[in-house]
Amino acid sequence: MSLEVRRHDNRNRAQPGAVSVRPDAAVEAQSQAFDARLLQSVRQARQKTAQASGSRASAAGGRARLSSASLFDLLRSQEILNYVVEEVLPGLNLDEDIAKLTASMLNEEIESRRDLQRRLMQAQSS
């Protein structure tokens, strides 16, 4: 699905005060330079992460362990989401509709986590 920008661009140029949709060469060059720097910094960050995880893995004897598996517990995440809905969200300066929508989405996430927890418990008990 592509947009026909050129066709509309020619019409816009004919109108007084219209702004061209095509970027200038300088803006294009800045955009490409920014993209190149961003890509370079992402690669460097990945290399550092890979080096750090490699040294940690060798130090742990090749075994990956979690320091605290309870951090990823479904009950804990439900508690956190509940706290956000009940304590944090009302204190934010949000439009009423946005606050309701956000609370609704968070409550749906809480319910899906409860459902997942129920299914996991059923699978473990069988």
Side-chain angles (χ1 to χ4, degrees), residues 13-40:
R13 286 184 188 170
Q15 298 172 359
V19 177
S20 174
V21 179
R22 301 171 113 189
D24 295 324
V27 173
E28 185 69 28
Q30 284 179 335
S31 175
Q32 289 176 354
F34 175 78
D35 290 343
R37 286 183 189 148
L38 180 63
L39 183 60
Q40 181 183 11

Side-chain angles (χ1 to χ4, degrees), residues 56-57 59-69 72:
R56 276 187 264 141
R63 241 189 225 173
R65 286 192 231 169
L66 294 175
S67 60
S68 178
F72 302 102

Side-chain angles (χ1 to χ4, degrees), residues 61-116:
R63 241 189 225 173
R65 286 192 231 169
L66 294 175
S67 60
S68 178
S70 65
L71 291 174
F72 302 102
D73 187 22
L74 288 172
L75 283 174
R76 179 71 178 144
S77 64
Q78 290 174 34
E79 290 172 359
I80 293 169
L81 289 171
N82 231 359
Y83 173 78
V84 170
V85 170
E86 294 174 359
E87 301 293 328
V88 176
L89 197 58
L92 297 176
N93 188 16
L94 296 175
D95 184 33
E96 185 178 342
D97 293 336
I98 293 174
K100 285 181 182 179
L101 179 64
T102 304
S104 172
M105 290 174 57
L106 290 172
N107 284 325
E108 286 177 19
E109 182 64 25
I110 292 168
E111 284 303 314
S112 69
R113 288 173 187 259
R114 285 181 184 153
D115 183 50
L116 177 61

